[in-house]
Amino acid sequence: SQAILTPHALYISGQLPALPSGELPAGSSMGHKTSLCIANMRAILEAAGSDLSRVVKTTVFLTDMKNFAEVNEEYEKHFGVGGAPKPARSCVAVHQLPKGVEVEIECVALPGGGVKDDEEGDEELERRAKG
């Protein structure tokens, strides 16, 4: 599943740096790849009626820790904005990731409080999960 919504949490599976078409952009910077992972998380959060400000935990998977600084620079543009607390975060070096990507990000968020109410979000999440 792309995500599981419970009454108390929204669990989002690892998101790859893919365009909405599913294409993986070749030759883009780690900052751009990180922004794509976060954009994909944002789309799922909003579909479920939540948003980035309600993310409480992220896990970043990197195939090379030399990319941490560039990933972190982009990550900080999206979390802790406007005085919102930054989520707890783990960063893990891995041997490889699906489809040969260099970064993948997963998260846990609080449900609701986002751009859609919970009922609309549930329907949208189910629609997205079916493809």
Side-chain angles (χ1 to χ4, degrees), residues 7-83:
H8 303 289
L10 173 62
Y11 299 89
I12 297 181
S13 299
Q15 296 301 300
L16 303 180
L19 299 169
S21 65
E23 178 186 356
L24 299 170
S28 61
S29 70
M30 284 303 293
H32 183 245
K33 291 174 184 178
T34 302
S35 71
L36 288 171
C37 292
I38 294 169
N40 293 333
M41 282 192 323
R42 178 185 290 114
I44 296 167
L45 286 161
E46 291 178 356
S50 191
D51 60 39
L52 285 176
S53 72
R54 299 189 54 82
V55 173
V56 295
K57 172 72 170 87
T58 63
T59 305
V60 179
F61 301 96
L62 296 173
T63 57
D64 193 330
M65 278 295 177
K66 75 177 182 188
N67 294 320
F68 178 79
E70 190 175 352
V71 168
N72 192 54
E73 183 178 341
E74 183 63 32
Y75 179 96
E76 289 182 344
K77 294 176 185 176
H78 302 275
F79 295 102
V81 178

Side-chain angles (χ1 to χ4, degrees), residues 115-130:
V115 295
K116 289 186 174 187
D117 70 32
D118 288 345
E119 186 174 320
E120 288 176 351
D122 288 346
E123 292 171 3
E124 178 65 14
L125 188 59
E126 287 177 23
R127 184 189 66 73
R128 284 175 159 264
K130 291 178 184 174

